[in-house]
Amino acid sequence: MICSDFHPFTKIADLLEFRMPAMNYFSTEVFEGEMAHARFFEKGIREKMPKCSYRKYTLSEVINGVIGSGFSLKRFDEHPAWTDERVPGEFTIVAIKEV
């Protein structure tokens, strides 16, 4: 399995403008918002995109979910944000599951 996703650091910082945290990092709230990459589209296209319900997981929830599903974690890497290479923006997990 190869899993690449947004880093949970985005729960506590807006990587585009570094505003104050918008939510508690440990929140389990499900909320409605724009699709993940909507902010990269022009306003007219963005307004036509449907909203979606989602929850932002902590890094430990993601890693423990992989392990709890019977995978053996082989590698975990953090990658810099597109907008500021000093902070994490994404992560990649490589894991295997013996059949």
Side-chain angles (χ1 to χ4, degrees):
M1 173 190 78
I2 299 173
C3 172
S4 184
D5 202 355
F6 292 108
H7 197 288
F9 180 78
T10 61
K11 288 179 78 168
I12 57 171
D14 179 359
L15 295 175
L16 296 176
E17 297 178 12
F18 281 96
R19 290 185 240 156
M20 293 301 292
M23 67 185 309
N24 179 335
Y25 179 78
F26 297 100
S27 173
T28 59
E29 175 186 358
V30 175
F31 55 95
E32 185 177 275
E34 289 186 311
M35 295 170 57
H37 292 90
R39 64 183 173 192
F40 299 109
F41 289 88
E42 295 176 9
K43 185 178 179 183
I45 295 172
R46 194 173 175 174
E47 289 172 347
K48 294 177 184 175
M49 292 180 172
K51 300 290 185 201
C52 61
S53 295
Y54 60 100
R55 177 175 175 243
K56 295 184 176 184
Y57 292 86
T58 64
L59 200 50
S60 61
E61 287 176 310
V62 173
I63 292 172
N64 288 328
V66 170
I67 294 167
S69 295
F71 285 89
S72 295
L73 190 62
K74 294 299 178 185
R75 187 169 181 95
F76 174 81
D77 292 306
E78 296 173 286
H79 312 289
W82 299 346
T83 55
D84 188 333
E85 64 184 28
R86 299 172 298 168
V87 296
E90 297 179 8
F91 69 87
T92 303
I93 291 174
V94 177
I96 62 168
K97 189 173 188 178
E98 300 296 329
V99 181

